Amino acid sequence: MPQRPEEQSDEQLMDLLTGPKVEAALSALYDRHGSTVFRVGLKLLGDRSLAEELVQEVFLKVWRSSSTFDPSRSSFSTWLYRVTRNAALDLHRKRARKIRSMTDEDPQIETIRDSSLGPQETVEDSWLTWRVSKALEGLGAEHRQVIELAYFRGLSQREISRRTGLPLSTVKSRTYSALKRLREGLAGQQGLREAGRSGR
Amino acid sequence: MRCTEINPNLGAFVLGGLEPEEEVEVYQHLASCSRCRGELGELDGVIRALEAAPGPAEPPSYLKEEILSRVRAGERAEKAPSSTEELSYFGKEPHSTRGSRLKNLRFILPGVAAAAIVAVVALGIFFGSREEPPVATVQLIPLEENDPYWGVAELHPKPSGNQQVELKLNNLEEPGSDSFYEAWFTSGEKYISAGTFTTAGSGETDVWLNAPPETRSYPTLLITKQTATGDPAPSQEEILRGKVL
């Protein structure tokens, strides 16, 4: 019995993009990686509408350029990272051009251009951003929840305990093990890191 | 205290989520325990890596369908005569007709180009005067996970130093009589109000507020519900919160 798309590996789904199951395959890839591409885009580009544009560009590129993906050279995640990075750079340049044209009309806007990331900084930040994002997604829901509440929302352990209804001691031990697992997840991407560097 | 008692607190310690008296206990233990100091160093590395992490945002639900519909349209276009084939029509024309069409194009193209330039300049002036690029997007998350409302704030820098804050809020209920919502930039115990507003209930509410330059160094954006007779400080009724990344 053939596997359903959501049960297939990323690499198997890439094979399906040239056949009649293209929609189901792209849909499954989006479900797995769409949030990462969006979050990384939001982080790098700092703008929600640009991040949405990035997600569209990336998944259309995945569809159109599926034949350029070679699983013997890199994992799908590393390939997708490169597609995302290049698309983000294109959008970044597009935005920079728009700001430049505005600067010509109003020199005061120069300060805005100076405060935004340059293309090189965008590239350097993007790989770490991608890796951390993937490592966070690799955590279980319970561990991800305490990291989100403690780090991204800045809640104290007591506030997390009140909010989740968990005993304070459980929140503390869960926070500790969440950070340890995140460290393991990041260390486990050593090979991925090398692949990402060689792709620059 | 022993390592086994301190260890579970180390995660909260590096995240700054312990109570002051618990922090003192950890500091005292670390002063005499190199093993826990080593452990702390590793956890600190994770926190540094987290600085590169994107916040827990999700793309809008319609985005996937938009992509799939473009794929569907692309497939249809591939099955229909391609644009290359349509262009090759020129190649099939008799030489004289092709030549006269090219001559016509020489007259038409400068006019088209001029019209395009006028349109681009006009659009640039129209959009350029209305819209500046946001420097930061803040995901606003409700206090309770099951709360149906959520939002996004876009912080637009102004040449004057002020920040214009655009709040896009979804399903935030009406605050009720004698109540309103207020946006705050906070940093530790310090806070600066970015302004007050109300909503019409379900659906999307778009609000524009102005905040002074000092708010650029405040890392948290809070939305609270305030009462008309309350103190000029964030109330305990926190509705949404986000980190300015």
Side-chain angles (χ1 to χ4, degrees), chain B residues 50-116:
Chain B
L50 272 175
E51 285 171 15
E58 290 298 330
S61 52
Y62 58 79
L63 199 56
K64 179 176 161 184
E65 186 45 43
E66 249 180 53
I67 293 167
L68 293 177
S69 66
R70 284 179 69 179
V71 169
R72 261 176 244 132
E75 282 196 308
R76 277 197 299 274
E78 275 175 15
K79 283 171 189 163
S82 72
S83 54
T84 318
E85 283 166 345
E86 282 161 16
L87 283 172
S88 70
Y89 175 71
F90 283 104
K92 291 171 187 167
E93 283 178 327
H95 180 73
S96 59
T97 315
R98 186 182 173 202
S100 63
R101 181 164 292 193
L102 286 173
K103 271 184 207 163
N104 288 341
L105 282 175
R106 274 204 293 275
F107 290 107
I108 294 166
L109 283 176
V112 171

Side-chain angles (χ1 to χ4, degrees), chain A residues 17 19-20 22-24 26-28 30-31 34-36 38-40 42-43 45-49 51-53 55-57 59-60 63-64 95 98-99 102 105-106 108-109 111-112 115 125 128-130 132-133 136 145-159 162-163 168-169 172-173 175-176 179-180 182-183 186, chain B residues 7-12 14-19 21-22 39 42-43 46-68 70-72 74-75 78 124-125 127-129 131-137 139 141-146 150 152 154 157-160 220 238-243 245:
Chain A
L17 289 182
V22 54
E23 257 192 80
L26 194 64
S27 174
Y30 181 94
D31 290 342
S35 295
T36 301
F38 180 72
R39 288 171 192 165
V40 169
L42 203 51
K43 176 83 177 173
L45 299 163
D47 175 62
R48 196 175 171 87
S49 60
E52 288 176 20
E53 201 178 331
V55 175
Q56 291 216 25
E57 292 298 320
F59 281 93
L60 289 172
W63 168 56
R64 290 191 188 113
R95 181 173 64 168
K98 185 179 168 192
I99 294 172
M102 289 163 67
E105 290 169 20
D106 185 352
Q108 285 182 297
I109 298 172
T111 52
I112 299 169
S115 66
D125 290 347
L128 181 59
T129 299
W130 184 271
V132 181
S133 183
L136 279 169
Q145 183 193 36
V146 289
I147 296 270
E148 284 178 4
L149 293 174
Y151 183 79
F152 291 106
R153 300 204 50 196
L155 297 186
S156 72
Q157 298 284 288
R158 210 174 285 281
E159 287 169 323
R162 271 202 297 271
R163 183 175 165 167
L168 185 58
S169 57
K172 285 179 180 175
S173 58
T175 304
Y176 175 64
L179 288 176
K180 288 194 68 133
L182 191 57
R183 176 162 57 99
L186 286 166
Chain B
N7 258 344
N9 279 352
L10 286 181
V14 290
L15 284 161
L18 288 179
E19 301 301 314
E21 60 275 16
E22 294 171 314
E39 180 75 11
E42 290 190 350
L43 294 179
V46 179
I47 300 299
R48 281 201 303 276
L50 272 175
E51 285 171 15
E58 290 298 330
S61 52
Y62 58 79
L63 199 56
K64 179 176 161 184
E65 186 45 43
E66 249 180 53
I67 293 167
L68 293 177
R70 284 179 69 179
V71 169
R72 261 176 244 132
E75 282 196 308
E78 275 175 15
I125 291 167
F127 286 111
S129 61
E131 190 184 35
E132 289 169 7
V135 289
T137 301
Q139 305 301 315
I141 306 165
L143 190 63
E144 299 298 333
E145 207 164 321
N146 295 329
W150 55 279
V152 172
E154 286 184 353
K158 306 305 288 182
S160 60
T220 305
E238 180 183 323
I239 305 296
L240 292 162
R241 172 191 282 258
K243 193 167 179 180
L245 297 171

